[in-house]
């Protein structure tokens, strides 16, 4: 009689982070593939927030780690990857940096009261979001491009995209919660930066960027008791480094609490974050293709170094087991 082998389960978290987030994720995903042979689309569940939501859908559409990297390296895509990319006919429309609104009316001022006086765990960005006027930039190009990358129904493998209900201030998880929508609208909602993009309306409810709740939302995986959770976070720092701003400090503090939650059930966690110098360099860059290429290269190199550390040996072994089982 053959012995039943336990299936190795792996979760992947892709954070918010704008254009630098997408480049960071691509560098991490490519390094994981080159160093271990593990394709991120093998993940049993992917959690994506804002920039990470589109990367998540791209993986589920069948774009390989090497194909994701090709945008930054200039290498040709695979035939399969090129077919997917060729489906995209909508140009990405991005507003100027900063607020994109002529209104001075707060979008949901009662969130300030909820968060500071009625809430449990304080989420200051939720309160700030309620005080901001609604953004006016049209984010529909996110939805259109995503639907062209991944036409048809929701991915068959668990894919959770995070947003925030602007009226309640609560996190919603498309692909997990009982909310009917398509991948395009979910990515648009997850990427709707408050005060910049218009909230995404789905069945009469207004949704904004999931990074308002948490830039990573990795705590969603704590209860699943997976063998390994990989976190690609583009706007946090490891606990031993000096924070560069209040937002980085808050995001990092939140992530490290989430990691403690995940590890409390015995799950191994592998985290890829930029260094202080990485973040400082990114803050000087304009959102151009050359800048994105630099971020990709830095992220890729850092990920290789992280994977080579002795502390990553258990995670590498789990990835090897996952490959053998797929």
């Amino acid at each position: 009689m053959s012995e039943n082998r336990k299936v190795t389960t792996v979760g992947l978290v892709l954070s918010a982070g704008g254009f630098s987030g997408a480049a960071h994720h691509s560098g991490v995903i490519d390094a994981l593939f080159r160093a271990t042979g593990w394709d991120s689309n093998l993940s049993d569940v992917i959690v994506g927030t804002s920039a990470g939501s589109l990367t998540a859908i791209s993986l589920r559409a069948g774009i390989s780690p090497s194909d994701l990297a090709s945008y930054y390296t200039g290498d040709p895509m695979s035939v399969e990857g090129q077919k997917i990319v060729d489906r995209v006919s909508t140009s990405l429309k991005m507003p100027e940096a900063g607020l994109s609104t002529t209104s001075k009316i707060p979008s949901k001022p009662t969130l300030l009261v909820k968060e500071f006086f009625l809430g449990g765990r304080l989420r200051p960005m939720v309160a700030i979001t309620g005080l901001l006027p609604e953004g006016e930039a049209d984010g529909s190009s996110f939805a259109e491009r995503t639907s062209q990358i991944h036409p048809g129904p929701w991915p068959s493998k668990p894919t959770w995209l995070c947003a925030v209900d602007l009226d309640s201030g609560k996190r919603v998880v498309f692909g997990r919660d009982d909310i009917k929508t398509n991948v395009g609208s979910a990515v648009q909602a997850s990427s709707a930066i408050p005060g910049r993009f218009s909230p995404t309306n789905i069945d009469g409810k207004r949704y904004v960027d999931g990074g308002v709740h948490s830039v990573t939302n990795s705590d969603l995986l704590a209860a699943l008791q997976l063998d390994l959770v990989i976190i690609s976070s583009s706007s946090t720092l490891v606990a031993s480094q000096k924070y560069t701003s209040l937002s980085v400090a808050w995001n990092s503090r939140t992530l490290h609490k989430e990691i403690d939650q995940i590890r409390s059930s015995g799950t191994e966690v592998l985290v890829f974050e930029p260094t202080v110098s990485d973040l400082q360099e990114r803050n000087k860059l304009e959102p151009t293709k050359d800048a994105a290429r630099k971020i990709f290269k830095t992220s890729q190199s850092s990920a290789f170094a992280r994977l080579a550390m002795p502390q990553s040996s258990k995670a590498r072994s789990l990835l090897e087991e996952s490959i053998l089982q797929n």
Side-chain angles (χ1 to χ4, degrees), residues 60-74:
R60 291 308 199 205
I63 296 181
S64 70
S66 298
D67 288 337
L68 276 180
S70 67
Y71 175 81
Y72 306 97
T73 63

Side-chain angles (χ1 to χ4, degrees), residues 37 61 194 291 297:
K297 286 292 186 183

